[in-house]
Amino acid sequence: MEEPKITVKSYPEALENAVRFQYYLKNNESIIHKLSQYTHWYYFPEKDCFAPSLFIGYKDNTYNSESAHAGNGRETEKALARFFRKLKPRHEQQDYFINELYKKLSNILKPYSKNLKRNAVIHIPKDADL
């Protein structure tokens, strides 16, 4: 029987998962296939990388655990809301720097022939000075 998933309890746990996601992004076709399905992306300025909530929101997530059970986006977003704030969607955005974040994320997906979902949103750390 599979153990229940536990959401992250700290920013460093989410960051650790984001770093792991970057590795899988380069080495895993299943993760690449899902890229345009993710709606909530989280930006980590110290690593200048993005990762989706369903991957970073569960403690010690791996490709096997993420792929075996999709998880609950509402559950991960609630856990991550303690450390992140949501930006306005890109079509409502007027801030140059934030628009650049959306462009950067879109450009990350392009080499994989994936597009950012129209309703995708980016979350940044609450203490980020953007």
Side-chain angles (χ1 to χ4, degrees):
M1 186 167 157
E2 191 78 28
E3 290 185 32
K5 288 185 161 197
I6 299 169
T7 57
V8 294
K9 304 291 185 231
S10 69
Y11 182 87
E13 287 177 346
L15 177 59
E16 182 180 315
N17 282 343
V19 169
R20 194 174 302 113
F21 180 80
Q22 301 311 304
Y23 170 78
Y24 289 133
L25 185 57
K26 294 176 182 142
N27 299 293
N28 190 292
E29 286 295 322
S30 182
I31 291 288
I32 292 168
H33 177 73
K34 292 180 181 183
L35 287 176
S36 55
Q37 297 173 17
Y38 296 120
T39 303
H40 293 270
W41 288 89
Y42 290 74
Y43 179 64
F44 294 84
E46 62 275 21
K47 297 289 184 181
D48 192 28
C49 72
F50 295 88
S53 66
L54 278 175
F55 193 89
I56 64 167
Y58 291 110
K59 190 175 177 96
D60 300 321
N61 214 354
T62 66
Y63 163 70
N64 291 332
S65 60
E66 196 275 340
S67 65
H69 306 286
N72 182 327
R74 280 177 250 142
E75 185 177 54
T76 58
E77 289 164 42
K78 182 178 177 183
L80 293 165
R82 291 178 277 180
F83 324 113
F84 291 87
R85 60 187 167 98
K86 182 166 58 169
L87 302 177
K88 289 182 181 178
R90 64 183 162 175
H91 61 275
E92 296 177 18
Q93 213 39 258
Q94 295 179 353
D95 182 276
Y96 174 78
F97 182 77
I98 294 171
N99 274 329
E100 289 302 306
L101 280 179
Y102 279 101
K103 284 182 191 175
K104 181 183 273 193
L105 178 54
S106 291
N107 288 336
I108 289 169
L109 302 181
K110 279 183 185 176
Y112 303 103
S113 300
K114 300 296 180 184
N115 294 312
L116 191 58
K117 284 181 81 169
R118 184 174 180 345
N119 63 338
V121 291
I122 293 174
H123 303 252
I124 60 172
K126 285 185 174 181
D127 62 354
D129 188 25
L130 305 177

